[in-house]
Amino acid sequence: MNTRELKQFLDYKSDEFNRPEFISSDPVQIPHRYSLKEDIEIAGFLTAKIAWGQRKNIIKNSLEIMQLMDEAPFEFVMNHEDKDLIKLQKFVHRTFNSTDLICFLQSLRHLYTRYQGMENIFQLHADNYSLQRAIHQFKQLFFELPHPTRTEKHVSDPLSGSAAKRINMFLRWMVRNDNRGVDLGIWKSLSPSQLSCPLD
């Protein structure tokens, strides 16, 4: 396949998937359900973190997480009490279980309380043409609080050799806005040119 043929193939695939009709069958539908910036971020992040396996199961379990948070992700993250976490204890998606979910919610509250949210962290640590160092720093801050060691595997680090596919997908959802309506493009402080598109 020469360069021209490759471009034609990629353009075809882009047209096939990067269209509003794609949303209803893809996990990106979860953050699309919200209008508050922080709700979109949290819904997108948690959905991306469990985005491996069959899409129907990813969507089903992401919807379950949203229901467990009373369909108000930011409100739940910031104001939950210990008693509110009891209902999360039966959640499981493959190797991501309730222990991981509870840790994630506590870490997210830490990031919003101490660092003014996820976008701010990525903006502060981004390079001109890459978010890889920012992803590394995000992971360090995400796990500042005491946490189960097992949960660390659910946040990849590109500086440790990972393609970090799921967090890069989340970043694409938050940053890219090409007016086709699939990606949400709510993070205006970052540029699509900084996004990575791992292929492996």
Side-chain angles (χ1 to χ4, degrees):
M1 184 178 289
N2 60 37
T3 303
R4 185 176 63 84
E5 291 170 335
L6 177 59
K7 183 181 186 307
Q8 289 176 340
F9 173 75
L10 293 175
D11 286 343
Y12 171 78
K13 286 299 181 183
S14 176
D15 290 338
E16 181 181 2
F17 294 110
N18 192 22
R19 53 193 175 90
E21 295 81 4
F22 176 71
I23 294 172
S24 63
S25 63
D26 189 79
V28 75
Q29 70 177 265
I30 307 300
H32 269 286
R33 298 169 75 238
Y34 299 97
S35 56
L36 180 69
K37 176 179 184 274
E38 292 82 3
D39 282 342
I40 295 169
E41 292 172 343
I42 293 169
F45 180 73
L46 294 175
T47 298
K49 288 289 94 186
I50 66 166
W52 80 100
Q54 294 184 339
R55 277 196 292 175
K56 66 179 183 179
N57 289 333
I58 296 166
I59 293 167
K60 172 181 170 291
N61 290 333
S62 296
L63 287 170
E64 181 182 350
I65 293 175
M66 299 305 111
Q67 291 163 2
L68 289 169
M69 294 193 295
D70 304 320
E71 298 292 350
F74 184 59
E75 172 72 18
F76 190 89
V77 162
M78 298 307 293
N79 298 310
H80 70 263
E81 300 177 5
D82 288 346
K83 63 181 176 62
D84 300 317
L85 301 177
I86 296 172
K87 61 184 177 180
L88 277 60
Q89 291 178 354
K90 292 184 179 180
F91 179 82
V92 62
H93 175 82
R94 299 172 71 95
T95 64
F96 187 92
N97 63 24
S98 59
T99 298
D100 304 313
L101 178 56
I102 290 168
C103 175
F104 267 45
L105 299 184
Q106 293 168 338
S107 293
L108 285 168
R109 177 159 63 184
H110 176 65
L111 296 186
Y112 282 103
T113 301
R114 184 166 181 183
Y115 298 106
Q116 296 78 55
M118 290 188 277
E119 180 180 6
N120 188 54
I121 293 170
F122 282 99
Q123 177 189 5
L124 288 175
H125 298 284
D127 296 325
N128 288 338
Y129 301 103
S130 173
L131 294 178
Q132 302 308 285
R133 188 170 64 88
I135 295 173
H136 168 79
Q137 190 61 36
F138 174 84
K139 181 171 184 174
Q140 306 308 305
L141 301 178
F142 192 79
F143 289 117
E144 275 188 332
L145 299 178
H147 61 276
T149 303
R150 59 157 282 121
T151 304
E152 292 182 16
K153 69 184 177 183
H154 293 297
V155 181
S156 300
D157 184 347
L159 299 191
S160 297
S162 172
K165 295 177 184 178
R166 290 189 292 275
I167 199 162
N168 275 297
M169 180 177 69
F170 163 71
L171 290 169
R172 189 194 75 219
W173 290 348
M174 296 300 106
V175 174
R176 190 172 74 166
N177 183 1
D178 60 3
N179 297 316
R180 293 197 181 188
V182 177
D183 299 313
L184 296 114
I186 61 170
W187 287 4
K188 306 304 183 183
S189 65
L190 297 167
S191 165
S193 65
Q194 295 170 296
L195 296 173
S196 296
C197 299
L199 299 175
D200 57 342

